[in-house]
């Protein structure tokens, strides 16, 4: 018997006026699994993610997370339930330090009220110190100690990507959604990021949904893949099966070409 | 003079997160506080200026939290101050409540107004929010004029704390100072706490804040509420200080003065609103003193003598926006860095 899935997406339909962005996509995410979503540009991959974390409201379909239907919850409620994500084009807070950026991930875990925050000494300070410890562990894990006090806007792209991963991890998520975590990175940075993702899977048993265009990375990291084209799921299976699937090859380039399609 | 000597190693997070994190700063802050406590000794007849600076600094602290830290523009801050002032006047005049009750109750009433005004900020952003708050400014003035029977003015009884009645500027100064320091410390603590982080997240990228579990409407409304509360405290103090309030004291010009204060002082600094308030009021007072002298020397300036304050403010604002958008607080930080490194360039 298969284990209870962490996340179920059922019969998802999303339409923007004349454009059918998602047409009947469904999949499940198993515990400890890295699920890759691939497909050509405009296939609706990011739209699926936006439905999962609540930016878009699908016209039809259901999203079940942690045993409950979350299809109509507001984005911040879903975050509180444990859905964390990163963005394709980095969405950090440029005016804040790396430390504070990652600390914002802890806000949902902090409880101090307005008065305690204003007085600071006492409960709010103790709470802040505890959570600072968690943030420092993440900074260690991502090897960005020297960037700790820098403003995010001053940092190179690769480090910003790491900080964004760190901010999502600070939420102690139940599921992590990564939208192109390696886009625009150098080979070294990609292998670092791949290492973090594998470690999160092995050590934290964190299930992940990953959108990525680097096929080498996708095939190596993912346990299972979904291929999307024109808002539809055209294939699903292990990386090996997907690589041999003629529909997938046709969707990507129209002719059989191995390896990195993008 | 080295402000952060080598060997200043922090061994706990508490030390690392302290606002005054070196001995130099702690001593400096102590000296500043002592200077303020002893101000009646050195300020002479200019104690009224310190009272004004203090009251407006409290209000500016609120606006800095709202605009500087949460990114919500408000051109109606003086209207909140007016609500605080008139509520306080009503509570202490008509209901005979003592100052120590009237001030918090009036500020809480202003807080509620702030929440209500803040609600549309979920949909209205940027310039549109500025216009919406401007509308609130005019509505408030209009409503207050009608509420006072078309006069717009009302008198306020003097402050009386536990049988001791405050009569002079010097005595009132201590009332102001206590609330000024409390308001400043509260704001500085708030911005490093979880609520301050949430405010900055909303300011820097609201959709990413949602993904982190931050309820946008809650935090935007809260920021408006807190800003209004600060304005309410300032308004209540102002009412009891001046003893006669008119709507003209809280017109759109005062709202713009508030914006000028936080921009000049530095939008995202705990010191910004205090520096800004001091700068604006000292400059106003200075111009009032030197304007007649300038006129006798250069009679040709006669035409611009009246709007001189506005002209100087405008030029200062533009100059700061061009050369130092971080405001006076950033200038101080740069000066400090120069001193740290002197005599080396970097």
């Amino acid at each position: 018997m298969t284990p209870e899935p962490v996340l179920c997406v059922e019969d998802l339909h999303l339409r923007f006026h004349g454009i059918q962005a998602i047409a009947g996509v469904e999949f499940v995410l198993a515990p400890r699994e890295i699920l890759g979503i691939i497909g050509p540009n405009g296939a609706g991959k990011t739209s699926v993610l936006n439905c999962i974390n609540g930016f878009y409201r699908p016209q039809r379909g259901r999203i079940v997370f942690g045993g409950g239907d979350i299809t109509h919850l507001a984005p911040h409620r879903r975050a509180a339930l444990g859905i964390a994500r990163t963005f394709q084009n980095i969405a950090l807070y440029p005016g804040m330090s790396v430390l504070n950026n990652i600390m914002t991930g802890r806000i949902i875990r902090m409880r101090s009220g307005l008065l305690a925050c204003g007085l600071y000494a006492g409960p709010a300070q103790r709470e802040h110190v505890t959570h600072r410890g968690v943030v420092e562990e993440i900074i260690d894990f991502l090897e960005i100690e020297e960037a700790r006090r820098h403003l995010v806007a001053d940092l190179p792209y690769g480090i910003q990507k790491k900080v964004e991963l760190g901010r999502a991890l600070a939420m102690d998520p139940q599921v992590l959604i990564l939208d192109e975590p390696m886009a625009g990175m150098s080979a070294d940075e990609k292998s670092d990021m791949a290492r973090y993702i594998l470690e999160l899977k092995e050590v934290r048993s964190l299930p992940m949904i990953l959108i990525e265009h680097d096929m080498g990375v996708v095939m190596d990291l993912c346990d299972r893949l979904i291929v999307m084209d024109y808002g539809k799921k055209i294939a699903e299976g292990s990386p090996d099966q997907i690589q041999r699937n003629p529909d997938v090859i046709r969707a990507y380039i129209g002719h059989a070409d191995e390896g990195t399609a993008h | 003079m080295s402000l952060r000597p080598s060997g200043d190693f922090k061994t706990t997070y508490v030390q690392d997160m302290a606002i005054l994190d070196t001995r130099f700063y702690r001593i400096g802050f102590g000296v500043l506080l002592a200077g303020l406590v002893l101000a009646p000794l050195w300020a002479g007849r200019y104690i009224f200026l310190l009272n004004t600076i203090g009251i407006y600094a409290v209000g500016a602290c609120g606006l800095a939290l709202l605009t500087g830290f949460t990114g919500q523009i408000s051109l109606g801050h003086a209207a909140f101050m007016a609500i605080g002032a008139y509520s306080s006047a009503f509570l202490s005049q008509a209901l005979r409540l003592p100052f120590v009750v009237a001030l918090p109750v009036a500020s809480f009433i202003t807080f509620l107004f702030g929440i209500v005004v803040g609600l549309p900020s979920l949909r209205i952003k940027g310039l549109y929010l500025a216009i919406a708050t401007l509308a609130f400014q005019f509505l408030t003035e209009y409503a207050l004029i009608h509420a006072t029977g078309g006069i717009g003015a009302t008198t306020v009884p003097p402050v009386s704390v536990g049988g001791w009645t405050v009569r002079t500027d010097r005595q009132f100064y201590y009332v102001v100072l206590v609330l000024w320091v409390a308001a400043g410390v509260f704001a500085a603590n708030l911005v490093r706490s979880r609520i301050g982080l949430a405010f900055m997240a909303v300011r820097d990228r609201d959709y990413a804040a949602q993904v982190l579990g931050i309820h946008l409407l809650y935090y935007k409304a809260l920021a408006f509420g807190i800003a209004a509360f600060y304005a309410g405290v300032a308004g209540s103090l102002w009412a009891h200080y001046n003893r006669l309030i008119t709507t003209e004291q809280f017109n759109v010009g005062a709202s713009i003065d508030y914006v000028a204060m936080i921009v000049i002082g530095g939008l995202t600094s705990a010191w910004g609103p205090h520096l800004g308030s001091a700068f604006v009021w000292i400059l106003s007072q200075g111009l009032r003193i030197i304007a007649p002298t300038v006129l006798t020397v250069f009679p040709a300036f006669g035409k611009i003598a009246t709007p001189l304050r506005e002209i100087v403010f405008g030029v200062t604002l533009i100059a700061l926006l061009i050369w130092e958008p971080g405001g006076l607080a950033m200038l101080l930080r740069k000066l400090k860095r120069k001193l740290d490194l002197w005599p080396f360039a970097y």
Side-chain angles (χ1 to χ4, degrees):
Chain A
M1 194 185 136
T2 51
E4 183 84 353
V6 184
L7 181 81
C8 293
V9 173
E10 296 167 8
D11 191 32
L12 205 62
H13 283 77
L14 178 71
R15 193 179 185 87
F16 299 115
H17 303 288
I19 296 163
Q20 190 76 40
I22 306 173
V25 166
E26 52 188 9
F27 61 84
V28 295
L29 177 69
R32 300 199 44 172
E33 182 184 40
I34 301 182
L35 174 70
I37 304 181
I38 60 171
N41 289 324
K45 305 183 294 293
T46 300
S47 295
V48 170
L49 300 195
N50 284 341
C51 287
I52 294 175
N53 84 341
F55 285 152
Y56 296 160
R57 300 292 166 92
Q59 278 84 15
R60 233 169 82 192
R62 231 157 67 98
I63 298 166
V64 180
F65 173 73
D69 186 342
I70 61 162
T71 321
H72 301 290
L73 282 188
H76 68 270
R77 300 272 308 278
R78 302 184 198 211
L81 288 175
I83 299 180
R85 80 171 275 189
T86 65
F87 292 87
Q88 190 173 346
N89 28 20
I90 304 169
L92 288 167
Y93 309 122
M96 295 161 76
S97 68
V98 168
L99 204 55
N100 277 346
N101 262 280
I102 300 179
M103 195 58 124
T104 55
R106 302 299 300 171
I107 291 174
I108 41 168
R109 305 277 168 236
M110 297 185 175
R111 290 282 165 269
S112 301
L114 179 60
L115 275 180
C117 284
L119 299 174
Y120 197 68
Q125 187 178 33
R126 277 196 297 278
E127 185 181 49
H128 205 170
V129 168
T130 315
H131 290 280
R132 173 71 187 272
V134 179
V135 169
E136 290 293 341
E137 275 171 31
I138 292 169
I139 288 176
D140 280 352
F141 171 64
L142 296 173
E143 302 158 308
I144 46 176
E145 293 89 345
E146 69 282 359
R148 205 186 263 124
R149 304 219 168 261
H150 288 269
L151 285 188
V152 159
D154 300 339
L155 291 170
Y157 181 83
I159 298 190
Q160 291 195 15
K161 281 275 192 191
K162 283 190 191 180
V163 176
E164 203 185 11
L165 176 63
R167 187 180 66 182
L169 287 179
M171 295 167 68
D172 282 342
Q174 304 295 310
V175 57
L176 180 60
I177 300 173
L178 300 167
D179 195 352
E180 299 197 24
M182 296 171 200
M185 280 187 160
S186 71
D188 274 359
E189 290 168 336
K190 277 184 187 176
S191 70
D192 275 352
M193 190 58 88
R195 189 158 50 81
Y196 300 140
I197 290 173
L198 286 177
E199 197 171 330
L200 288 173
K201 182 192 167 191
E202 298 304 328
V203 178
R204 289 209 193 191
S205 308
L206 186 60
M208 282 173 260
I209 298 177
L210 175 75
I211 293 183
E212 183 52 56
H213 279 303
D214 185 322
M215 285 305 135
V217 166
V218 168
M219 297 299 163
D220 282 351
L221 283 183
C222 296
D223 301 308
R224 211 153 48 84
L225 287 178
I226 289 173
V227 188
M228 284 183 69
D229 195 18
Y230 294 108
K232 292 190 180 69
K233 183 172 84 174
I234 59 167
E236 179 172 356
S238 71
D240 279 347
Q241 291 166 339
I242 295 295
Q243 269 170 314
R244 288 192 301 270
N245 188 321
D247 288 344
V248 175
I249 296 163
R250 204 174 308 124
Y252 258 89
I253 17 186
H255 59 89
D257 185 12
E258 279 287 311
T260 50
H262 270 257
Chain B
M1 173 70 196
S2 182
L3 302 182
R4 202 176 298 280
S6 64
D8 172 37
F9 298 125
K10 287 156 183 156
T11 50
T12 65
Y13 290 140
V14 173
Q15 286 172 14
D16 194 43
M17 297 185 306
I19 295 176
L20 303 165
D21 62 347
T22 64
R23 184 187 290 165
F24 180 84
Y25 285 140
R26 284 190 287 272
I27 293 173
F29 189 69
V31 170
L32 178 70
L33 273 188
L36 284 175
V37 169
L38 300 175
L41 296 179
W42 54 261
R45 64 194 181 87
Y46 286 108
I47 196 82
F48 80 91
L49 190 57
L50 270 174
N51 281 335
T52 313
I53 290 172
I55 293 171
Y56 267 82
V58 172
C61 269
L63 188 62
L65 286 172
L66 180 65
T67 304
F69 286 93
T70 320
Q72 310 299 309
I73 299 169
S74 169
L75 290 179
H77 206 58
F80 288 124
M81 195 179 175
I83 291 171
Y86 281 86
S87 318
S88 198
F90 175 77
L91 292 168
S92 45
Q93 190 80 285
L95 303 184
R96 304 258 165 239
L97 288 173
F99 174 72
V100 286
V101 179
L103 179 125
V105 173
S107 306
F108 184 71
I109 292 170
T110 322
F111 172 82
L112 295 179
F113 271 94
I115 299 274
V116 173
V117 173
L119 290 179
S121 68
L122 188 68
R123 296 278 171 216
I124 307 172
K125 290 176 185 173
L127 280 177
Y128 301 99
L129 184 62
I131 299 300
T133 51
L134 191 63
F136 169 70
Q137 167 76 40
F138 288 123
L139 269 176
T140 308
E141 283 181 48
Y142 179 83
L144 283 174
I145 288 173
H146 282 264
T148 49
I151 314 161
T154 183
T155 55
V156 187
V159 171
S160 170
V161 184
W164 173 63
T165 306
V166 174
R167 303 216 172 273
T168 65
D169 269 14
R170 285 178 179 213
Q171 290 165 347
F172 195 82
Y173 172 71
Y174 286 103
V175 176
V176 172
L177 186 61
V178 168
L179 288 165
W180 182 9
V181 173
V185 170
F186 194 90
N189 281 333
L190 202 61
V191 297
R192 62 173 167 163
S193 72
R194 125 181 193 278
I195 291 174
L197 286 171
F199 282 171
M200 288 187 276
V202 170
R203 173 196 69 191
D204 277 5
R205 215 178 291 266
D206 52 4
Y207 67 92
Q210 282 183 297
V211 170
L212 292 176
I214 293 166
H215 189 344
L216 285 187
L217 183 59
Y218 174 84
Y219 280 100
K220 282 184 175 179
L222 181 66
F224 265 96
I226 294 173
F229 188 91
Y230 270 87
V233 173
S236 179
L237 277 172
W238 185 261
H240 287 276
Y241 180 49
N242 278 19
R243 307 278 313 279
L244 174 72
I245 49 175
T246 68
T247 51
E248 275 161 32
Q249 294 163 345
F250 312 105
N251 64 10
V252 64
S255 275
I256 290 169
D257 277 355
Y258 266 125
V259 175
M261 279 174 210
I262 60 165
V263 172
I264 291 173
L267 274 170
T268 55
S269 159
W271 293 104
H274 309 284
L275 292 171
S277 175
F279 183 88
V280 165
W281 288 107
I282 291 171
L283 187 71
S284 301
Q285 187 61 28
L287 289 175
R288 208 167 293 157
I289 294 168
I290 65 156
T293 326
V294 172
L295 267 187
T296 48
V297 182
F298 304 105
F301 276 118
K303 276 189 184 138
I304 61 158
T306 328
L308 188 60
R309 180 175 177 273
E310 276 67 29
I311 293 170
V312 173
F313 270 21
V315 171
T316 316
L317 265 180
I318 292 168
L320 269 171
L321 287 176
I322 292 173
W323 286 297
E324 191 47 82
L328 293 176
M330 184 58 87
L331 277 180
L332 274 185
R333 203 174 301 165
K334 285 185 174 169
L335 179 71
K336 198 199 90 191
R337 200 174 140 69
K338 279 253 162 64
L339 285 173
D340 274 354
L341 297 171
W342 192 85
F344 305 105
Y346 56 87

